[in-house]
Structures are given as C-alpha cells and as structure tokens.
Amino acid sequence: MPEHNTGADWINVDFISVTMKNKKKTPTFEETAKAYLSNTQLRRNIGHATHTIREKRETVVGEMPDWEILREAGSQLKKRVMRHLDDYLLQLEASVQEAGGKVHWAGDAEEANRIIADLVKEQQAEEVVKVKSITTDEIGLNQALAGEGIRALETDLAELIVQLAEDEPSHILVPAIHKNRSEIRELFRKKLNQQELSDRPEDLAEAARLYLRKKFLNAKVGISGANFAVADTGTVAVVESEGNGRMCTTLPETLITVMGIEKIIPRWRDFEVFMQLLPRSSTAERMNPYNSFWTGVTEGDGPREFHLVLLDNGRTNVLADEVGRQTLNCIRCSACLNVCPVYERTGGHAYNSVYPGPIGAILTPQLRGLDDEGAASLPYASTLCGACYEVCPVKINIPEVLVHLRGKIVDRKKREGGLKTKTDPEHVGMRWMGRAFTKRSRYERAQKIARLGQKIFVRDGTISNLPGELSGWTAMRDLKPIPKQTFREWWGDRDE
Amino acid sequence: MQISLFITCFNDTLFPETGKAMVQLLERLGHQVDFPLEQTCCGQMHYNTGYQEETIPLVRRFVEVFGEAEAVVAPSASCVGMVREFYSKVAERAGDPELANAVEEVIPRVFELSEFLVKELGIEDVGAYYPHRVTYHPTCHSLRVLHVGDAPLILLRNVRGIDLVELPAAEQCCGFGGTFAVKNADTSMAMLGDKIRHIKGTGAEVCAAADNSCLMHIGGALKRQRSGVEPVHLAEILASTEETE
C-alpha cells in the first residue's frame, strides 16, 4: 500500500454544506475529484463495488421480458404525479389524517428540523433511532437534533458505519461503499469497544446487531424516510435489506417520517410497477428482504403516534422547470451511480452533496440553486456518455437535463456579464468560434489562423505542451496538430 | 444514390484523411458524393457546453445547406447525435416553428456512416482489405444516442485480412466528453487510463472507432505513452483496398 491515509478521514469533509438552504459556498467537483482520484484504496473499493452491483443488476433486469414496459409505466406514473402534485399532496394529507396520522408541511430544511425537534421533545426523548434516509441527511437533521441535545442514532449498518466514522455517505444506497471490511473492523474495534473482532462480514454484522438491539428496545421515537407514499390510502412504504427499518417503524411509540413531496404514487396498485423496478435497479434483488407498509396508526399494533413531515426544500423550484422536472421522478435506486464511469473513479464525496453521481449532478444544482459555485460545477461532471439514462428505471433523461442545466449556467453568466465572464477563456473561445461558424469565409479563415497559430506549439509533428485552460489536455495527452490541408481544400483541388 | 457528405468541422480541420476515405468508400460503392462547401459546424460543442443561443444560427445553417439532400452522411456519431437529439430543442428555443419543421424534415435523412451502410443500404461487406490487428471502441454516442448496435462490427468482420480482436469493457466511456476532457482533465484521464490499458491488452496495432473526437483523446494518450497503437477512423479501414494498402 502507498504511504498515505486511507478511508475518508484523510480529507476534510467539513465543507459539505448539508442544509440546502444554507447557501454555503461548496468547492467545485473538479477541485474535489482530484484528491479522491489519487486515493488508491477508495478507487479499488468503489471500482469493485460498482462493478459487482452493475453486473448483478444486468442479470436480474435481463430476466424480465417486460422491463422496458415497466420502465415506461414507472416514468408515466411519476410524470402524472408531477403534473398533479398539488392535488395528490392534499389527497395524501387527507388520507393520512383519516388513518390517524398527523401531517406537517415543511418549506425548507430549517422548518422540517424545527418540526421534528419539537415532536421529539414532546416525547421527552433524548435519543431517537433512525432508518436510513437521505432526505434527513439533505436537511442535516442529525446535526439539528444534536443542537437540541437529542442524539439521533443511525441503525442501517452502513449508515451506522458512516456515523461512527464521523464521515459522510458516499452512495445513495450503500453509504459506506468507500470503506472495505478491514477499515470497518478497525472502526468497530475503536468505537464499539470490540477488541476481538474479525473482519468477516458476519462478525461485523453481529457486532452491530448486538449494539443496535438494545437501542431499538429502549427508543421512544423512531425517525424514517419514505420510499413511497400512496395518495389514495395514506400508506407509507420503506423497503430495506436489514430489518432495522422494520424495528424503527414498529417498536417506538412515536414514528416520524420525513418525505420529499415528490415521493407520492397515486394508488396502492402502482406498487406493482415500482416494487419491480426498485429492487432490481438498486440492490439487484428480485424483491427487497423487508418491505414495510403502514397506514396511519393501528390500535394495539405499532406506534401510537404517526407524523408525516412533507418537505419541499427546493423541490417546487425543480417542478417549475419543464425540462428539469423529470429529476423528481427519481426513486433513489442508485443504478445511475453504479453504472457511471465518473462516479466509479471519483466516488461520491467528490460531488459535495448527499446526492452524488449522475442523479446528484442534476438534483443538487436544482435544489441548491446555480449561484452555489460547487453545485453549478456538477452538470459539467459528466461526459454525457448516456449510461445513466439507459439504466434509469423511471427513464430520467439525465444527459438531457445536464445539458439543459449547462445552458442555464451559461445564460446566467452572460446576464451577469462583468470582466470575469468577458475574460473567461472558455467564454471568449466559444464566442469567437460561434461567430466563425456562422459564415463560410469566416470559418475558412479561422481554420487558416488556427493552423498558423499552432506553429509555436508543434514539436516533431506533435503538440505536447499547451498553455492556460488547454494545458489540462496536454498534461497527459499529446495533441495532433492541424494538418497542412483541410478536407475542403483537398475537395477544392480535386474538383479542379 | 446522391450522398451529401457532412464532414463535420472537426474532421474537416483535423482529420481530412477520414473525409477522403468517406469519398473513396462511397464512390467505390457506386454512389455520387457531393460536398456542400457552405457547411461549417453542427453546433454540438456550443450546445453541450451551455452556449445554446449560439447554436441557433448553426442549426439554421445546417437545414439550409442539407435541406434538399437525398441522404446526409457523416463520419461522426456524435455530430449526427447532436442533429437527432437536440436540433428540435434548439428550434424550440429559437421559438421558430418553421425551423422546427425544417429540422423534423431533415433528421430522417441524416446518418452516421456505419448505420447508413448497414441499416439504410443493407451493405455488410464493402470489399475492403486491411491486413492489421484491430480492436474496435464503440463510442458512447454511437451506442447510446444513435443505437447503431453492432453495425460497425459487422462491417469490420467482413474486411479481408483484418485480425479483429474484442476490446474488454468496450462499452465504457473513454473519458473524452468534449470540454469535459479539459474542465475535468483528471477524471477524464482516470477514465482514459483504463481504456488504454484494455486497448494495449488486446495486442492490437490499431484502435478503430466511429468518432475521431474520442480517437483524438485515446490517440493522444497512446502517442504520449509511445504505445505503438495507432488510432484509425472506421471509414479509413473500410476505404482500404489491396491497391491502397
């Protein structure tokens, strides 16, 4: 192993702005990716994990003859939800209340955290157990609760690992994908006081199980996210692999569920579509091991109180954008992460968001807004190779949205104007070439100028060193010089 | 058939040999090739980088230049992908229904070389001769935007003298991505590194593809590493005969 720290502690993750409302400047993707690319352990862990899930997914999707029809159905259902989101939300509120639950509306992260903290305090609880939920990571719930003297304990094995390591999740589905088992053993040895622990997955799981079981039995309040909520029945669903979610949603007397407003599905029968799409796309399973559904409260069974917190936090802005809107179709399966050639190399932390990978590259900038420089760098963190769109179970055309967002970023730059934009080499180059391409004579002149201009860089028939922005190319690649004759010049000679 | 060559600005300026090969190949197959000199650029680079307003005059230009053509064929899956995927969106942005109609009208007649030969003309053997060990990299836009499938491989398999070797993890992006290669040079290089490793592993002397843009990126690293592997556009292999070799 090379002589450097492994794991994620080695990089400062303090800068990750968790609350979307908090307009902290985040670093750009290119700045952060550079550091992660040179972490050999991370490259190996993530490369191995994504390839494994990728192949498994291909197998279980391949055995479905109607996969494309299911994808289309999923996409259409979600599109309908987005078109009538206002109606569906009110319908959901009514049906949850009718089933004995309470509904709370949160405009942003701060409001959601306030609502949840007050609910927990009402129960006089100092510790809450949590089901894995990215939405609560998005709003920075754990930190907010800590500020109120409430300890939020993650019970998903991977989330627990991340929490114990004081790290940040790096994958939507597999938050600790960047850690291997020997790293986890070291962590458990230190934090769970398990000196004799081996690095066998069974032993690691058992250590976590012993630790968590006591917590489940004593918790007064459980907090969960939601995979789906059914508008016409008020049913909330969480799918998971470990059973800790089932514990959190059934053992405590009070259950609080935080859910982005886009997670609605219209009817119970729509599960037919999503319960096939989600497990095969995410964990590459035919069915999730644990599928929990609850509708309000039930006398003598499960929690006495159920609260549903409906979170906007930027989602209505996404909804307002006709091209960007499809981003809200996402069911958080993470198939796009696993197949992405960029994510595979940089890992999730490079995206500086709880939503990494291709979906994060379109969701984060829309939720945070494009004036956040880090968020605005994400739509460029893609080669537009299209692998993400191909696997998306709800057919989000991620490359289309990426390009759309790039357009918005440039339009914004142009509106702002100023010296920075005017002297930006990309901006100058694009403007100049844009002009050249609009007229044949200008284009042909530009070809000649480029051919002449390159002369100072050509050595032995190749360009190996370019200045400024273009040095990114020649740092690692040679560049072929422009040949003596363009094709059109050859064509002209041929005609004569 | 009368075929209008859509050379693309990139090939016109940097890879004239590919253009010449297109002409030789299509003429050898008995077609008339014309090259409308008014053509410039399809606008892909501007559009994908976010300079979408600048793309509008280029789309107008394209439909003016190629609007009457019987078939428009290009040696670039990426540029054809731009026309097919995004031209209607540009027309929509321009708020010009006439342009939108013109775009809709021209799109079904614009083809990438391999799909044109195999799917449009139904030709699988172009009578080429190329006695070299070749591996083929299917570019992302040929695979996932144009869905050319194995059209390029069908053509290559029928080339006489060729020693065609399969490229492992072929469908993985090479890391070019237009301005991505410069903006995110480090990530781009991490992706290219794996591609190069796979190419070298095949023992091929030539790496072929349907896009010179990806090949310039791949070739740039192959050359820097003095790997002894040459990037060659698909058209140039298909144009080769016993006489030219």
Side-chain angles (χ1 to χ4, degrees), chain A residues 233-285:
Chain A
T233 61
T235 309
V236 177
V238 161
V239 300
E240 39 134 6
S241 301
E242 298 170 7
N244 53 60
R246 177 72 56 81
M247 297 274 195
C248 286
T249 55
T250 52
L251 289 174
E253 290 194 345
T254 301
L255 171 61
I256 305 167
T257 297
V258 195
M259 182 187 109
I261 52 174
E262 81 283 19
K263 293 288 181 69
I264 290 186
I265 59 173
R267 299 155 304 176
W268 175 266
R269 60 166 291 187
D270 300 329
F271 277 127
E272 176 200 346
V273 173
F274 293 107
M275 287 301 184
Q276 295 190 79
L277 288 174
L278 181 56
R280 286 175 198 261
S281 301
S282 58
T283 44
E285 288 168 305

Short mmCIF file of all heavy atoms in Angstrom, two decimals, chain A residues 233-285:
data_model
loop_
_atom_site.label_atom_id
_atom_site.label_comp_id
_atom_site.label_asym_id
_atom_site.label_seq_id
_atom_site.Cartn_x
_atom_site.Cartn_y
_atom_site.Cartn_z
N THR A 233 -54.55 6.02 -0.22
CA THR A 233 -54.74 5.25 1.01
C THR A 233 -54.00 5.86 2.20
O THR A 233 -54.29 5.52 3.34
CB THR A 233 -54.23 3.81 0.85
OG1 THR A 233 -52.83 3.86 0.56
CG2 THR A 233 -54.96 3.07 -0.26
N GLY A 234 -53.01 6.71 1.92
CA GLY A 234 -52.20 7.27 3.01
C GLY A 234 -51.13 6.31 3.49
O GLY A 234 -50.48 6.54 4.51
N THR A 235 -50.90 5.25 2.75
CA THR A 235 -49.89 4.26 3.14
C THR A 235 -48.48 4.76 2.84
O THR A 235 -48.23 5.31 1.76
CB THR A 235 -50.13 2.94 2.37
OG1 THR A 235 -51.49 2.57 2.51
CG2 THR A 235 -49.22 1.84 2.87
N VAL A 236 -47.59 4.56 3.80
CA VAL A 236 -46.19 4.94 3.59
C VAL A 236 -45.38 3.64 3.50
O VAL A 236 -45.66 2.68 4.21
CB VAL A 236 -45.68 5.82 4.75
CG1 VAL A 236 -44.21 6.16 4.57
CG2 VAL A 236 -46.51 7.10 4.83
N ALA A 237 -44.38 3.62 2.62
CA ALA A 237 -43.61 2.40 2.43
C ALA A 237 -42.12 2.66 2.57
O ALA A 237 -41.60 3.68 2.09
CB ALA A 237 -43.89 1.81 1.06
N VAL A 238 -41.44 1.73 3.25
CA VAL A 238 -39.99 1.74 3.31
C VAL A 238 -39.51 0.35 2.91
O VAL A 238 -39.99 -0.66 3.43
CB VAL A 238 -39.48 2.09 4.73
CG1 VAL A 238 -38.04 1.66 4.90
CG2 VAL A 238 -39.60 3.58 4.99
N VAL A 239 -38.60 0.29 1.93
CA VAL A 239 -38.03 -1.01 1.56
C VAL A 239 -36.57 -1.03 1.98
O VAL A 239 -35.88 -0.03 1.91
CB VAL A 239 -38.16 -1.27 0.03
CG1 VAL A 239 -39.61 -1.27 -0.38
CG2 VAL A 239 -37.39 -0.26 -0.77
N GLU A 240 -36.13 -2.18 2.48
CA GLU A 240 -34.76 -2.26 3.01
C GLU A 240 -34.30 -3.71 3.04
O GLU A 240 -35.08 -4.63 2.78
CB GLU A 240 -34.69 -1.65 4.41
CG GLU A 240 -35.91 -1.99 5.25
CD GLU A 240 -35.62 -2.44 6.65
OE1 GLU A 240 -34.47 -2.39 7.08
OE2 GLU A 240 -36.57 -2.89 7.31
N SER A 241 -33.05 -3.90 3.40
CA SER A 241 -32.47 -5.23 3.36
C SER A 241 -32.19 -5.82 4.73
O SER A 241 -32.00 -7.02 4.85
CB SER A 241 -31.13 -5.18 2.60
OG SER A 241 -31.34 -4.71 1.30
N GLU A 242 -32.12 -5.00 5.76
CA GLU A 242 -31.59 -5.49 7.03
C GLU A 242 -32.62 -5.75 8.11
O GLU A 242 -32.36 -6.49 9.05
CB GLU A 242 -30.55 -4.49 7.56
CG GLU A 242 -29.36 -4.33 6.63
CD GLU A 242 -28.47 -3.16 7.04
OE1 GLU A 242 -28.71 -2.57 8.11
OE2 GLU A 242 -27.56 -2.85 6.27
N GLY A 243 -33.77 -5.11 8.03
CA GLY A 243 -34.78 -5.29 9.07
C GLY A 243 -34.73 -4.23 10.15
O GLY A 243 -35.63 -4.12 10.98
N ASN A 244 -33.67 -3.42 10.13
CA ASN A 244 -33.60 -2.36 11.14
C ASN A 244 -34.69 -1.31 10.91
O ASN A 244 -35.19 -0.70 11.85
CB ASN A 244 -32.22 -1.71 11.16
CG ASN A 244 -31.80 -1.25 9.78
OD1 ASN A 244 -32.45 -0.42 9.17
ND2 ASN A 244 -30.72 -1.81 9.26
N GLY A 245 -35.05 -1.15 9.65
CA GLY A 245 -36.13 -0.21 9.32
C GLY A 245 -37.44 -0.68 9.93
O GLY A 245 -38.20 0.10 10.50
N ARG A 246 -37.68 -1.99 9.83
CA ARG A 246 -38.89 -2.58 10.41
C ARG A 246 -38.92 -2.33 11.92
O ARG A 246 -39.94 -1.98 12.49
CB ARG A 246 -38.89 -4.08 10.09
CG ARG A 246 -40.02 -4.89 10.65
CD ARG A 246 -41.35 -4.62 9.97
NE ARG A 246 -41.40 -4.79 8.53
CZ ARG A 246 -41.54 -5.96 7.88
NH1 ARG A 246 -41.61 -7.09 8.55
NH2 ARG A 246 -41.61 -5.99 6.57
N MET A 247 -37.74 -2.49 12.57
CA MET A 247 -37.63 -2.25 14.02
C MET A 247 -37.98 -0.80 14.35
O MET A 247 -38.75 -0.52 15.26
CB MET A 247 -36.19 -2.51 14.48
CG MET A 247 -35.72 -3.92 14.30
SD MET A 247 -36.19 -4.92 15.70
CE MET A 247 -35.17 -6.33 15.43
N CYS A 248 -37.37 0.12 13.60
CA CYS A 248 -37.57 1.55 13.87
C CYS A 248 -39.01 1.98 13.65
O CYS A 248 -39.50 2.88 14.32
CB CYS A 248 -36.70 2.39 12.94
SG CYS A 248 -34.98 2.39 13.36
N THR A 249 -39.66 1.36 12.68
CA THR A 249 -41.01 1.82 12.35
C THR A 249 -42.08 1.10 13.17
O THR A 249 -43.25 1.46 13.10
CB THR A 249 -41.31 1.64 10.85
OG1 THR A 249 -41.09 0.27 10.49
CG2 THR A 249 -40.44 2.52 9.99
N THR A 250 -41.71 0.06 13.93
CA THR A 250 -42.73 -0.66 14.69
C THR A 250 -42.52 -0.61 16.20
O THR A 250 -43.49 -0.63 16.95
CB THR A 250 -42.77 -2.15 14.27
OG1 THR A 250 -41.45 -2.68 14.35
CG2 THR A 250 -43.30 -2.31 12.86
N LEU A 251 -41.26 -0.55 16.67
CA LEU A 251 -41.04 -0.63 18.12
C LEU A 251 -41.30 0.67 18.90
O LEU A 251 -41.96 0.63 19.93
CB LEU A 251 -39.63 -1.17 18.41
CG LEU A 251 -39.43 -2.66 18.09
CD1 LEU A 251 -37.97 -3.04 18.28
CD2 LEU A 251 -40.32 -3.54 18.97
N PRO A 252 -40.79 1.83 18.45
CA PRO A 252 -41.01 3.05 19.24
C PRO A 252 -42.50 3.46 19.26
O PRO A 252 -43.24 3.11 18.35
CB PRO A 252 -40.18 4.09 18.50
CG PRO A 252 -39.23 3.34 17.66
CD PRO A 252 -39.95 2.09 17.27
N GLU A 253 -42.86 4.19 20.30
CA GLU A 253 -44.27 4.59 20.41
C GLU A 253 -44.63 5.71 19.45
O GLU A 253 -45.79 5.88 19.08
CB GLU A 253 -44.56 5.03 21.84
CG GLU A 253 -44.54 3.84 22.78
CD GLU A 253 -45.13 4.15 24.12
OE1 GLU A 253 -45.31 5.34 24.44
OE2 GLU A 253 -45.42 3.18 24.85
N THR A 254 -43.61 6.48 19.07
CA THR A 254 -43.86 7.57 18.12
C THR A 254 -43.00 7.36 16.88
O THR A 254 -41.80 7.09 16.99
CB THR A 254 -43.51 8.93 18.76
OG1 THR A 254 -44.31 9.10 19.93
CG2 THR A 254 -43.76 10.08 17.80
N LEU A 255 -43.63 7.49 15.72
CA LEU A 255 -42.89 7.37 14.46
C LEU A 255 -43.02 8.68 13.69
O LEU A 255 -44.13 9.17 13.47
CB LEU A 255 -43.43 6.20 13.64
CG LEU A 255 -42.89 6.07 12.21
CD1 LEU A 255 -41.38 5.86 12.20
CD2 LEU A 255 -43.57 4.92 11.47
N ILE A 256 -41.87 9.22 13.30
CA ILE A 256 -41.88 10.44 12.47
C ILE A 256 -41.26 10.09 11.12
O ILE A 256 -40.14 9.57 11.06
CB ILE A 256 -41.05 11.57 13.13
CG1 ILE A 256 -41.56 11.84 14.55
CG2 ILE A 256 -41.10 12.83 12.28
CD1 ILE A 256 -40.63 12.72 15.37
N THR A 257 -41.98 10.35 10.06
CA THR A 257 -41.46 10.08 8.72
C THR A 257 -41.27 11.40 7.97
O THR A 257 -42.18 12.22 7.92
CB THR A 257 -42.44 9.17 7.94
OG1 THR A 257 -42.53 7.92 8.62
CG2 THR A 257 -41.96 8.94 6.52
N VAL A 258 -40.07 11.57 7.43
CA VAL A 258 -39.78 12.77 6.63
C VAL A 258 -39.72 12.36 5.17
O VAL A 258 -39.02 11.41 4.82
CB VAL A 258 -38.41 13.40 6.99
CG1 VAL A 258 -38.32 14.81 6.44
CG2 VAL A 258 -38.18 13.37 8.47
N MET A 259 -40.43 13.09 4.34
CA MET A 259 -40.54 12.65 2.95
C MET A 259 -40.55 13.85 2.02
O MET A 259 -41.26 14.82 2.25
CB MET A 259 -41.86 11.89 2.84
CG MET A 259 -42.15 11.31 1.51
SD MET A 259 -43.83 10.63 1.51
CE MET A 259 -44.62 11.83 0.47
N GLY A 260 -39.75 13.80 0.97
CA GLY A 260 -39.81 14.81 -0.08
C GLY A 260 -41.17 14.72 -0.76
O GLY A 260 -41.69 13.61 -0.93
N ILE A 261 -41.70 15.85 -1.16
CA ILE A 261 -43.08 15.86 -1.69
C ILE A 261 -43.22 15.09 -3.01
O ILE A 261 -44.32 14.80 -3.44
CB ILE A 261 -43.59 17.31 -1.92
CG1 ILE A 261 -42.58 18.11 -2.75
CG2 ILE A 261 -43.90 17.98 -0.59
CD1 ILE A 261 -43.10 19.48 -3.13
N GLU A 262 -42.08 14.72 -3.61
CA GLU A 262 -42.16 14.03 -4.91
C GLU A 262 -42.30 12.52 -4.76
O GLU A 262 -42.42 11.81 -5.77
CB GLU A 262 -40.91 14.38 -5.74
CG GLU A 262 -39.64 13.58 -5.40
CD GLU A 262 -38.92 14.04 -4.14
OE1 GLU A 262 -39.53 14.71 -3.30
OE2 GLU A 262 -37.73 13.69 -4.01
N LYS A 263 -42.30 12.01 -3.55
CA LYS A 263 -42.28 10.56 -3.36
C LYS A 263 -43.66 9.91 -3.48
O LYS A 263 -43.83 8.72 -3.22
CB LYS A 263 -41.68 10.22 -2.00
CG LYS A 263 -40.21 10.55 -1.86
CD LYS A 263 -39.37 9.60 -2.66
CE LYS A 263 -37.89 9.88 -2.52
NZ LYS A 263 -37.39 9.58 -1.20
N ILE A 264 -44.64 10.68 -3.85
CA ILE A 264 -46.02 10.17 -3.92
C ILE A 264 -46.22 9.22 -5.10
O ILE A 264 -45.63 9.43 -6.18
CB ILE A 264 -47.00 11.36 -4.05
CG1 ILE A 264 -47.04 12.13 -2.73
CG2 ILE A 264 -48.40 10.90 -4.45
CD1 ILE A 264 -48.07 13.23 -2.70
N ILE A 265 -47.02 8.19 -4.90
CA ILE A 265 -47.58 7.44 -6.03
C ILE A 265 -49.10 7.49 -5.88
O ILE A 265 -49.61 7.59 -4.76
CB ILE A 265 -47.06 5.98 -6.12
CG1 ILE A 265 -47.38 5.17 -4.86
CG2 ILE A 265 -45.56 5.98 -6.36
CD1 ILE A 265 -47.03 3.69 -4.98
N PRO A 266 -49.82 7.48 -6.99
CA PRO A 266 -51.26 7.72 -6.89
C PRO A 266 -52.03 6.65 -6.11
O PRO A 266 -52.78 6.97 -5.20
CB PRO A 266 -51.72 7.77 -8.35
CG PRO A 266 -50.50 8.13 -9.12
CD PRO A 266 -49.35 7.50 -8.38
N ARG A 267 -51.87 5.39 -6.50
CA ARG A 267 -52.72 4.35 -5.93
C ARG A 267 -51.89 3.18 -5.41
O ARG A 267 -50.77 2.96 -5.84
CB ARG A 267 -53.68 3.80 -7.01
CG ARG A 267 -54.60 4.81 -7.60
CD ARG A 267 -55.03 4.36 -8.99
NE ARG A 267 -53.85 4.12 -9.85
CZ ARG A 267 -53.91 3.64 -11.08
NH1 ARG A 267 -55.07 3.33 -11.63
NH2 ARG A 267 -52.81 3.45 -11.78
N TRP A 268 -52.50 2.39 -4.55
CA TRP A 268 -51.86 1.19 -4.00
C TRP A 268 -51.36 0.28 -5.11
O TRP A 268 -50.25 -0.24 -5.06
CB TRP A 268 -52.86 0.46 -3.09
CG TRP A 268 -52.33 -0.84 -2.58
CD1 TRP A 268 -52.53 -2.07 -3.15
CD2 TRP A 268 -51.48 -1.06 -1.45
NE1 TRP A 268 -51.87 -3.04 -2.44
CE2 TRP A 268 -51.22 -2.44 -1.38
CE3 TRP A 268 -50.92 -0.20 -0.49
CZ2 TRP A 268 -50.42 -3.00 -0.39
CZ3 TRP A 268 -50.12 -0.78 0.50
CH2 TRP A 268 -49.87 -2.15 0.54
N ARG A 269 -52.18 0.11 -6.16
CA ARG A 269 -51.82 -0.85 -7.21
C ARG A 269 -50.58 -0.41 -8.01
O ARG A 269 -49.99 -1.22 -8.72
CB ARG A 269 -53.00 -1.12 -8.15
CG ARG A 269 -53.52 0.11 -8.87
CD ARG A 269 -54.44 -0.28 -10.00
NE ARG A 269 -53.68 -0.93 -11.07
CZ ARG A 269 -54.20 -1.27 -12.23
NH1 ARG A 269 -55.48 -1.08 -12.46
NH2 ARG A 269 -53.47 -1.80 -13.18
N ASP A 270 -50.18 0.85 -7.86
CA ASP A 270 -48.98 1.30 -8.57
C ASP A 270 -47.70 0.67 -8.01
O ASP A 270 -46.65 0.70 -8.65
CB ASP A 270 -48.87 2.84 -8.53
CG ASP A 270 -50.08 3.50 -9.18
OD1 ASP A 270 -50.64 2.90 -10.12
OD2 ASP A 270 -50.48 4.59 -8.74
N PHE A 271 -47.84 0.08 -6.83
CA PHE A 271 -46.69 -0.67 -6.28
C PHE A 271 -46.29 -1.80 -7.23
O PHE A 271 -45.14 -2.22 -7.25
CB PHE A 271 -47.03 -1.25 -4.91
CG PHE A 271 -46.86 -0.27 -3.78
CD1 PHE A 271 -47.90 -0.03 -2.89
CD2 PHE A 271 -45.66 0.41 -3.60
CE1 PHE A 271 -47.75 0.87 -1.85
CE2 PHE A 271 -45.50 1.31 -2.56
CZ PHE A 271 -46.55 1.55 -1.68
N GLU A 272 -47.26 -2.30 -7.95
CA GLU A 272 -46.98 -3.37 -8.91
C GLU A 272 -45.79 -2.98 -9.80
O GLU A 272 -44.92 -3.80 -10.09
CB GLU A 272 -48.22 -3.62 -9.79
CG GLU A 272 -47.99 -4.64 -10.88
CD GLU A 272 -49.00 -4.53 -12.01
OE1 GLU A 272 -50.04 -3.85 -11.83
OE2 GLU A 272 -48.74 -5.12 -13.07
N VAL A 273 -45.79 -1.72 -10.23
CA VAL A 273 -44.72 -1.24 -11.10
C VAL A 273 -43.44 -0.96 -10.29
O VAL A 273 -42.37 -1.48 -10.61
CB VAL A 273 -45.17 0.04 -11.84
CG1 VAL A 273 -44.02 0.65 -12.62
CG2 VAL A 273 -46.35 -0.27 -12.76
N PHE A 274 -43.58 -0.18 -9.25
CA PHE A 274 -42.38 0.29 -8.55
C PHE A 274 -41.68 -0.79 -7.72
O PHE A 274 -40.47 -0.75 -7.56
CB PHE A 274 -42.73 1.52 -7.69
CG PHE A 274 -43.10 2.70 -8.53
CD1 PHE A 274 -44.42 3.12 -8.63
CD2 PHE A 274 -42.14 3.36 -9.28
CE1 PHE A 274 -44.77 4.20 -9.43
CE2 PHE A 274 -42.48 4.43 -10.08
CZ PHE A 274 -43.79 4.86 -10.16
N MET A 275 -42.45 -1.73 -7.21
CA MET A 275 -41.83 -2.79 -6.43
C MET A 275 -41.12 -3.81 -7.31
O MET A 275 -40.43 -4.71 -6.82
CB MET A 275 -42.86 -3.47 -5.53
CG MET A 275 -43.29 -2.60 -4.37
SD MET A 275 -41.87 -2.15 -3.34
CE MET A 275 -42.70 -1.26 -2.05
N GLN A 276 -41.29 -3.67 -8.61
CA GLN A 276 -40.47 -4.48 -9.53
C GLN A 276 -39.26 -3.67 -9.98
O GLN A 276 -38.15 -4.19 -10.09
CB GLN A 276 -41.30 -4.91 -10.74
CG GLN A 276 -42.44 -5.85 -10.37
CD GLN A 276 -43.09 -6.45 -11.61
OE1 GLN A 276 -42.59 -7.37 -12.23
NE2 GLN A 276 -44.23 -5.89 -11.98
N LEU A 277 -39.51 -2.38 -10.26
CA LEU A 277 -38.42 -1.54 -10.77
C LEU A 277 -37.34 -1.29 -9.72
O LEU A 277 -36.15 -1.39 -10.01
CB LEU A 277 -38.99 -0.19 -11.23
CG LEU A 277 -39.80 -0.16 -12.51
CD1 LEU A 277 -40.39 1.23 -12.73
CD2 LEU A 277 -38.95 -0.55 -13.72
N LEU A 278 -37.77 -0.96 -8.51
CA LEU A 278 -36.81 -0.50 -7.49
C LEU A 278 -35.80 -1.57 -7.04
O LEU A 278 -34.59 -1.34 -7.15
CB LEU A 278 -37.56 0.12 -6.30
CG LEU A 278 -36.69 0.67 -5.17
CD1 LEU A 278 -35.69 1.71 -5.68
CD2 LEU A 278 -37.55 1.30 -4.08
N PRO A 279 -36.25 -2.74 -6.55
CA PRO A 279 -35.23 -3.68 -6.04
C PRO A 279 -34.27 -4.16 -7.12
O PRO A 279 -33.07 -4.28 -6.87
CB PRO A 279 -36.06 -4.83 -5.49
CG PRO A 279 -37.43 -4.68 -6.04
CD PRO A 279 -37.61 -3.23 -6.35
N ARG A 280 -34.78 -4.40 -8.33
CA ARG A 280 -33.90 -4.89 -9.38
C ARG A 280 -32.88 -3.84 -9.79
O ARG A 280 -31.73 -4.14 -10.11
CB ARG A 280 -34.71 -5.34 -10.60
CG ARG A 280 -35.42 -6.66 -10.35
CD ARG A 280 -36.32 -7.07 -11.49
NE ARG A 280 -37.26 -8.09 -11.02
CZ ARG A 280 -37.10 -9.40 -11.23
NH1 ARG A 280 -36.09 -9.85 -11.91
NH2 ARG A 280 -37.99 -10.25 -10.74
N SER A 281 -33.29 -2.57 -9.76
CA SER A 281 -32.37 -1.49 -10.15
C SER A 281 -31.39 -1.14 -9.05
O SER A 281 -30.28 -0.70 -9.32
CB SER A 281 -33.16 -0.23 -10.51
OG SER A 281 -34.06 -0.50 -11.55
N SER A 282 -31.81 -1.29 -7.81
CA SER A 282 -30.96 -0.80 -6.73
C SER A 282 -30.04 -1.88 -6.17
O SER A 282 -28.84 -1.84 -6.38
CB SER A 282 -31.82 -0.20 -5.61
OG SER A 282 -32.74 -1.15 -5.12
N THR A 283 -30.60 -2.86 -5.47
CA THR A 283 -29.75 -3.89 -4.88
C THR A 283 -29.60 -5.08 -5.79
O THR A 283 -28.96 -6.06 -5.43
CB THR A 283 -30.35 -4.36 -3.54
OG1 THR A 283 -31.76 -4.54 -3.73
CG2 THR A 283 -30.13 -3.35 -2.46
N ALA A 284 -30.20 -5.02 -6.97
CA ALA A 284 -30.17 -6.14 -7.92
C ALA A 284 -30.83 -7.37 -7.31
O ALA A 284 -30.38 -8.49 -7.52
CB ALA A 284 -28.75 -6.44 -8.38
N GLU A 285 -31.89 -7.14 -6.55
CA GLU A 285 -32.65 -8.25 -5.99
C GLU A 285 -34.01 -8.30 -6.68
O GLU A 285 -34.51 -7.29 -7.16
CB GLU A 285 -32.87 -8.03 -4.48
CG GLU A 285 -31.61 -8.24 -3.67
CD GLU A 285 -31.77 -7.73 -2.24
OE1 GLU A 285 -32.13 -6.56 -2.06
OE2 GLU A 285 -31.53 -8.51 -1.32
#
